[in-house]
Amino acid sequence: MYNSKSVDSNQSGVHDRLHDIVNKHIDTKYRKPYQAHNVEAFDQLRAKIDANDYAGLIMDSCCGTGMSSYILAERYSDHLIVGVDQSGHRLEKKAGAAPENCIMLQANCEDIWRLCLDHELHFVSHHILYPNPWPKSVHLKRRWHGHPAFPYLKPLATTTILRSNWKTYLDEFNEAWELLTQNTSEVHSFTMDDPMTLFEKKYAGSGQLLYELILES
C-alpha cells in the first residue's frame, strides 16, 4: 500500500510570470559552457550510434533508475533509447545490464539536448516522465518550461511526451509550448495499466490522478 503525498503548492494555477520568462528565453540564446562530463557522456552516445544501425532515436530525460528507458527499449526494439539522468545513484539502482538498444547517460539533460542539436541528432520522441515539479511559485525557473534551455526542446524531437501527478506543471508546459511553437494540445488524465516509472507506480498506488501531455513540434 502506497501513501505518497499529493503535490502541495502555493500556486492556484498557471504562474503569472510564465509568459514573461518563456519569451525571454526564446529571445535569448543559452550560452552556458558545456561541462566536461556531459561532453564525455555525449561522446559515448555518438559512439553507440556510429556502431549500430537504428531505425530512429528516442530520448528519455530525467529517467531516474532507467525503468522507463528499459520499457521503451522493449517496445521499440529497432530504435536506440537514450536515458539521461544527472544522478549516478539513481541510475545504479536499475538491476541488470541495459538492453542492446538502450544507453544510459549520467549527465545534465540541458547539455545533452544542446549537444544533440549541435551534431544534428533528431529524436522521434522525447519522454519527460514525472520531472521534479518544483511546486513553490518562487521556483518556476527550475521547471523545464522556465529553464533557459527550454527553446531547445522544439527542434530536438518530433513528439514530446510528459507525465506528471501535478496538472499545473503540464498546463504551464502546454502554454509555454504554444509560445515556443504556436502548437498546443490538451492535458488529459489517464489510468495506468503498467507503470512506466517507480514514481508512476507510487502515485497511482496512492490514489492520485495521473496526467499526460503529448505535443508535436
Side-chain angles (χ1 to χ4, degrees), residues 7-215:
V7 176
D8 183 21
S9 175
N10 57 346
Q11 280 184 228
S12 58
V14 171
H15 201 290
D16 57 7
R17 293 198 60 219
L18 177 69
H19 287 219
D20 290 340
I21 289 172
V22 173
N23 283 325
K24 178 182 177 181
H25 293 327
I26 291 173
D27 294 336
T28 306
K29 188 174 179 61
Y30 185 44
R31 298 185 181 277
K32 183 179 178 180
Y34 293 125
Q35 293 180 290
H37 75 279
N38 295 326
V39 175
E40 292 174 4
F42 178 75
D43 288 343
Q44 296 173 25
L45 171 59
R46 290 191 67 190
K48 180 81 169 176
I49 293 171
D50 291 344
N52 296 275
D53 184 20
Y54 296 107
L57 305 176
I58 294 174
M59 181 166 286
D60 184 20
S61 290
C62 314
C63 66
T65 64
M67 175 179 172
S68 51
S69 301
Y70 284 30
I71 291 173
L72 289 168
E74 182 177 352
R75 290 181 182 176
Y76 304 97
S77 58
D78 58 345
H79 287 62
L80 176 63
I81 313 304
V82 183
V84 186
D85 199 278
Q86 65 179 353
S87 171
H89 176 69
R90 284 193 291 266
L91 290 172
E92 289 172 359
K93 286 185 177 181
K94 188 71 179 79
E100 185 283 327
N101 65 319
C102 180
I103 183 170
M104 310 301 294
L105 304 179
Q106 183 184 347
N108 296 89
C109 292
E110 59 268 31
D111 271 9
I112 296 297
W113 298 344
R114 293 189 294 154
L115 285 163
C116 285
L117 292 175
D118 286 350
H119 293 82
E120 299 182 345
L121 294 184
H122 181 79
F123 293 78
V124 176
S125 61
H126 182 192
H127 300 253
I128 307 176
L129 307 180
Y130 305 94
N132 187 333
W134 292 106
K136 294 182 179 180
S137 62
V138 71
H139 290 153
L140 171 62
K141 293 182 180 180
R142 298 189 181 186
R143 302 169 197 164
W144 282 127
H145 44 276
H147 193 282
F150 175 71
Y152 290 89
L153 296 182
K154 175 184 177 181
L156 186 65
T158 301
T159 304
T160 302
I161 301 167
L162 295 97
R163 287 184 177 181
S164 179
N165 62 326
W166 189 37
K167 186 174 181 291
T168 297
Y169 190 101
L170 300 189
D171 287 337
E172 286 186 349
F173 200 103
N174 197 23
E175 282 199 25
W177 194 258
E178 185 174 12
L179 292 172
L180 180 64
T181 69
Q182 289 73 59
N183 294 329
T184 189
S185 186
E186 291 186 7
V187 177
H188 64 272
S189 61
F190 69 97
T191 301
M192 181 199 70
D193 294 321
D194 297 313
M196 287 282 290
T197 78
L198 294 177
F199 283 121
E200 187 164 83
K201 182 177 182 179
K202 180 174 67 173
Y203 298 149
S206 301
Q208 297 184 31
L209 288 176
L210 305 177
Y211 300 95
E212 185 175 61
L213 175 65
I214 302 175
L215 297 160

